[in-house]
Amino acid sequence: QTSAALVVQRYVPGPFEVGIFYYRFPHEARGQIFAVTEKIFPSLTGDGRHTVEELIHADPRARFVAERYLARFATRRREILAKDDTLRLVEAGNHAQGCIFQDGSHLRTPALVERLDAISRGVPGFFIGRYDLRYASETDLRAGRNFHILELNGAAAEATSIYDARTPLVAAYRTLFRQWGLVFAIGAANRDRCARSNTVSELWHAWRDTTRLISSYPLAD
């Protein structure tokens, strides 16, 4: 049970999801896409002979988080999937819950940048953060149309493409340093424009309240 405010959203099936890290300096006319993360939802394919539990343990990746998946599908673990039937193992585009993150820079296009830039300008005070989007067609996404916004995360968000297993550790840290360099540079630019800065006391109380609420959140699944 949580005392946090709840947001009710219409379910968006996708079936595809992407995380796009956007930024714009307050004195610049246009924003940029810093990083794109393509989210892959792992699934099982039935063979008409093995149970869900057996298929999970046989999968080269799912077996490493088998405990999590078996808890999620506790009522179906003994079920035998029919041949070619699929079972999606992850619903939320959450890396910690089993979703696979890959670099999605091939999805970045001028049309997508323009569309996200237009949306971002309609959010007062927003200059950097990550959009989580769902879409049904890569063609539409690249054209900047027919996608749904699931979340808009602010300056504390990450360029989640660093969690691509193919990304070297040094490259991941380089991306994070660049990202936080942008956060501080945009913050300085806003301060130069007379934006009010939070006091240490305000930051402390916000951190304390947020930490308390997070501990009461249910799993994102």
Side-chain angles (χ1 to χ4, degrees), residues 86-102:
T86 60
L87 174 63
R88 182 158 148 166
L89 293 173
V90 177
E91 179 57 42
N94 185 315
H95 192 243
Q97 297 301 319
C99 191
I100 302 168
F101 286 5
Q102 294 183 353

Side-chain angles (χ1 to χ4, degrees), residues 9-109:
Q9 293 178 272
R10 178 169 61 88
Y11 175 70
V12 180
F16 308 112
E17 187 170 329
V18 70
I20 301 179
F21 200 95
Y22 163 93
Y23 73 94
R24 179 176 69 86
F25 281 90
H27 58 276
E28 292 183 341
R30 297 195 56 174
Q32 301 292 331
I33 288 178
F34 176 72
V36 182
T37 306
E38 190 173 13
K39 302 182 180 185
I40 310 299
F41 296 91
S43 63
L44 300 175
T45 301
D47 58 8
R49 295 182 297 113
H50 293 92
T51 65
V52 168
E53 182 173 4
E54 291 169 336
L55 291 171
I56 288 174
H57 283 297
D59 187 273
R61 185 181 185 280
R63 62 191 178 91
F64 290 109
V65 286
E67 183 178 350
R68 183 164 310 219
Y69 290 145
L70 291 174
R72 183 174 297 155
F73 296 102
T75 61
R76 301 186 63 180
R77 59 193 303 166
R78 304 300 181 192
E79 177 183 337
I80 295 177
L81 288 184
K83 184 174 174 57
D84 297 328
D85 276 2
T86 60
L87 174 63
R88 182 158 148 166
L89 293 173
V90 177
E91 179 57 42
N94 185 315
H95 192 243
Q97 297 301 319
C99 191
I100 302 168
F101 286 5
Q102 294 183 353
D103 178 70
S105 54
H106 64 283
L107 297 170
R108 181 196 289 118
T109 64

Side-chain angles (χ1 to χ4, degrees), residues 210-221:
T210 299
T211 302
R212 176 179 55 81
L213 287 175
I214 288 175
S215 67
S216 69
Y217 290 168
L219 287 176
D221 191 16

